[in-house]
Amino acid sequence: MPLSRLVDDALDRSILLGYGRSGLAVRRRLPGWPADPPRMPGATVLVTGATGGLGLAAARGFSSLGAHVLLLGRDPTKAAAALASVNAAGGPGSTFVCCDLASRTSLDTLIDDFPVDRLDVLVHNAGVMAPRGARSAEGIGLTFTTNVLAPYVLTRGLTPRLAGGGRVVTVSSGGMYGQPLVVDDLEALELGPVACYARSKRAHVVLSGLWAERLADQGIAAHAMHPGWADTPGIQGSLAGFAQVAGPLLRTPEQGADTIVWLGATPDLTAGGFWHDRRRRPEHLLGRHRETAADRTGLLAALERLAG
């Protein structure tokens, strides 16, 4: 095995070094670091949760490559600043799309009135770490609704616009390694916020793998990734103690979003997989929390039932 691969694997297993800013800095200097993505003139990219943090950084990255970016967010008051930030990165401009992913009515309206006929990249970045037991207006667990059910509904609704070369990038978390997929308890309402969030991120990775298999015949590639530890409003608000302790190690939003943009813009990648710092990573560690075929089928069945 090449020395660069051994170093990369050691960083990944250490977590502390691999997920922080030093991990990306070292990997960029290793032989074999993948080339930067090409420009995307004429492409249209939708990024959810794009008014701040990783989503805004990813939107700027796609815009700098020449793509038109649709910034999806639920707070119109943040739109002007986000649009100005993305437009400053260059590209043909950006558009704000208002949608509350926790509201089925809002999602259906977005899909029915989608502003473009063709979509090249769909980035599922938006996520919440809701309080224990919190539910959406429809009575479904809020973390599960926003993080898993909404991406499922959105991807299903936008598949016709993605067909023939589109790409779906799902932003998961390294925290998913600590949780299994529990089909009988997908909403995880009895778990604490961190564990419930991690379980939703495990579902992300499983769902992305199913998309990679089932959308391939329509020319749609799907990938999941995790950004490492990035200093974002989400981590400052939900994990303030961790953010304070790990502050010097945290990546910038741009560093965290690097692989999002790379996956969305790089041609000829093999569909599927769980990625971090431009390389496929194991979906399970130490043989723990492996899903069965029945688990994967059960997840799809549950999402279809909840999505109606």
Side-chain angles (χ1 to χ4, degrees), residues 100-108 134-142 145-146 149 187 306-307:
D100 181 358
L101 295 177
S103 165
R104 184 56 188 270
T105 300
S106 185
L107 263 176
D108 288 344
R135 298 176 184 267
S136 69
E138 285 82 15
I140 305 171
L142 184 57
T145 295
T146 305
L149 182 59
E187 298 174 55
L306 291 169

Side-chain angles (χ1 to χ4, degrees), residues 29-46:
R29 289 167 172 78
L30 292 175
W33 174 254
D36 289 340
R39 291 187 59 77
M40 308 172 67
T44 300
V45 180
L46 173 66

Side-chain angles (χ1 to χ4, degrees), residues 13-284:
R13 297 301 185 271
S14 74
I15 297 180
L16 181 65
L17 297 176
Y19 289 13
R21 65 171 63 204
S22 61
L24 179 60
V26 172
R27 287 178 175 127
R28 283 184 180 277
R29 289 167 172 78
L30 292 175
W33 174 254
D36 289 340
R39 291 187 59 77
M40 308 172 67
T44 300
V45 180
L46 173 66
V47 182
T48 70
T51 57
L54 291 173
L56 181 56
R60 286 195 296 260
F62 284 116
S63 184
S64 71
L65 296 176
H68 175 233
V69 187
L70 305 176
L71 283 69
L72 187 150
R74 62 181 179 178
D75 187 353
T77 62
K78 297 181 179 179
L83 289 170
S85 176
V86 173
N87 292 339
S94 55
T95 303
F96 178 69
V97 179
C98 189
C99 179
D100 181 358
L101 295 177
S103 165
R104 184 56 188 270
T105 300
S106 185
L107 263 176
D108 288 344
T109 299
L110 170 65
I111 293 168
D112 290 343
D113 300 331
F114 202 68
V116 297
D117 293 328
R118 169 71 193 176
L119 184 63
D120 297 280
V121 184
L122 168 58
V123 178
H124 294 302
N125 164 74
V128 299
M129 188 182 293
R132 185 193 302 267
R135 298 176 184 267
S136 69
E138 285 82 15
I140 305 171
L142 184 57
T143 295
F144 178 77
T145 295
T146 305
N147 297 2
V148 186
L149 182 59
Y152 176 79
V153 172
L154 194 56
T155 300
R156 186 180 68 173
L158 296 180
T159 290
R161 292 176 167 83
L162 287 160
R167 196 164 294 189
V168 181
V169 179
T170 303
V171 181
S172 183
S173 165
M176 70 98 189
Y177 283 124
Q179 285 292 325
L181 178 72
V182 182
V183 175
D184 293 335
D185 188 25
L186 291 172
E187 298 174 55
L189 290 169
E190 299 304 316
L191 294 182
V194 175
C196 182
Y197 178 84
R199 187 170 291 184
S200 76
K201 294 299 180 176
R202 166 62 69 184
H204 265 172
V205 176
V206 177
L207 182 57
S208 180
L210 290 165
W211 282 333
E213 296 171 1
R214 299 180 180 225
L215 298 179
D217 62 349
Q218 299 183 60
I220 302 171
H223 308 282
M225 61 78 66
H226 82 86
W229 295 337
D231 190 5
T232 64
I235 199 170
Q236 292 289 348
S238 299
L239 296 170
F242 170 77
Q244 183 175 8
V245 172
L249 302 175
L250 297 181
R251 301 179 178 203
T252 66
E254 287 72 24
Q255 291 169 334
D258 174 81
T259 299
I260 300 174
V261 178
W262 185 81
L263 286 170
T266 301
D268 302 323
L269 292 176
T270 301
F274 181 51
W275 299 73
H276 174 57
D277 285 349
R278 303 191 186 186
R279 186 182 146 199
R280 288 183 74 146
R281 307 292 171 179
E283 295 181 15
H284 309 87

